[in-house]
């Protein structure tokens, strides 16, 4: 790949992201953060049901977060938008799934029943199908038909191959960093930082967790800010309070 990706116009400051349509309509910043995380978790669960690849799920989650920069959670339920983002992302990334399969997965995940029988004879089937098709137009409007999303996975591969020559260490670090990126879809990282920086943050965070020496000042050659990398790491770390799901250890915020 060529480093870096081109500039991303869908980036916002922390101050801008506490003045969203949802906040202006009375939803607290904390509540919006929680609802976004729930929507993204629903999105991933549905995507896994229909076996979508990680990069498609990342695109879907990014579209999800972009939607709520323009529209309010008070007016559009996070599950409805999440389902629509999966549908649209699967088409954009050419990993299309039949809408019937997506609708069945949405019903099962929403009702927390993996064996739920859903077909064209059930009201829930048609309700979800209509929601997805109706919300798709709003999603296209919210994103201004800009459906270009570059996930951090390719930049992560570039970094690990360039900076970690030892294969065994590289594999361990890659696995950890990949997991951080997967989990980051529950946050607004994709609205704060470029895919290059998110990859670098996951790489840096994983190097600390896996105790892999990646050298110093490596970020300078990539035209990245270590302060921004640490800010992104700390947003990731907040997901794992008080204990992370991989090692039952508490990730500490990075100050050095």
């Amino acid at each position: 790949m060529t480093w870096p990706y081109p500039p991303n116009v869908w980036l916002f400051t922390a101050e801008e992201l506490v003045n969203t349509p949802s906040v202006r309509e009375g939803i607290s910043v904390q509540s919006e953060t929680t609802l976004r995380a729930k929507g993204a978790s629903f999105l991933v669960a549905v995507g896994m049901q229909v076996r979508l690849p990680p990069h498609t799920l990342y695109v879907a989650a990014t579209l999800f977060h972009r939607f709520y920069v323009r529209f309010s959670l008070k007016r559009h339920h996070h599950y409805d938008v999440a389902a629509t983002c999966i549908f649209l992302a699967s088409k954009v990334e050419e990993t299309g799934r039949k809408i019937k399969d997506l609708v069945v997965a949405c019903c099962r995940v929403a009702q927390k029943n993996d064996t739920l029988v859903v077909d064209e004879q059930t009201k829930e089937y048609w309700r979800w199908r209509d929601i997805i098709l109706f919300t798709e137009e709003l999603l296209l409007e919210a994103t201004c038909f800009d459906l270009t999303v570059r996930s951090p996975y390719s930049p992560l591969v570039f970094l690990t191959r360039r900076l970690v020559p030892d294969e065994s260490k590289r594999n361990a670090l890659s696995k950890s960093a990949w997991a951080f990126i997967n989990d980051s879809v529950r946050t607004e990282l994709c609205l704060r930082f470029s895919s290059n920086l998110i990859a670098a943050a996951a790489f840096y965070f994983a190097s600390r967790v896996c105790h892999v020496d990646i050298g110093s000042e490596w970020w300078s050659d990539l035209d990245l800010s270590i302060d921004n990398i640490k800010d992104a790491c700390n947003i990731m770390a907040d997901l794992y309070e008080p204990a992370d799901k991989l090692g039952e250890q508490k990730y500490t915020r990075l100050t050095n």
Side-chain angles (χ1 to χ4, degrees), residues 11 39 77 84 116 128-129 131 136 148 150-151 158 161 180 186:
L11 296 182
H77 195 278
T84 307
L116 182 70
W128 274 103
R129 186 180 185 279
I131 283 172
E136 184 180 20
T148 301
R150 295 177 173 88
S151 75
F158 172 88
R161 287 178 177 174
F180 289 141
R186 291 185 284 148

Side-chain angles (χ1 to χ4, degrees), residues 64 67-68 71 75-85 87-88 127-143:
F64 173 81
F67 180 90
Y68 287 112
F71 288 97
R75 300 175 186 269
H76 304 284
H77 195 278
H78 47 291
Y79 281 6
D80 298 349
V81 175
T84 307
C85 289
F87 178 59
L88 186 56
R127 188 182 77 83
W128 274 103
R129 186 180 185 279
D130 290 345
I131 283 172
I132 290 172
L133 295 179
F134 172 77
T135 310
E136 184 180 20
E137 293 186 16
L138 287 176
L139 179 58
L140 290 169
E141 177 187 342
T143 57

Side-chain angles (χ1 to χ4, degrees), residues 10 12 61 83 94 97 106 147 170 217 223 252:
W10 285 93
F12 304 88
E94 299 182 351
R97 298 295 187 268
C106 287
L147 304 177
R170 182 168 65 241
E217 303 295 327
D223 196 28
T252 56

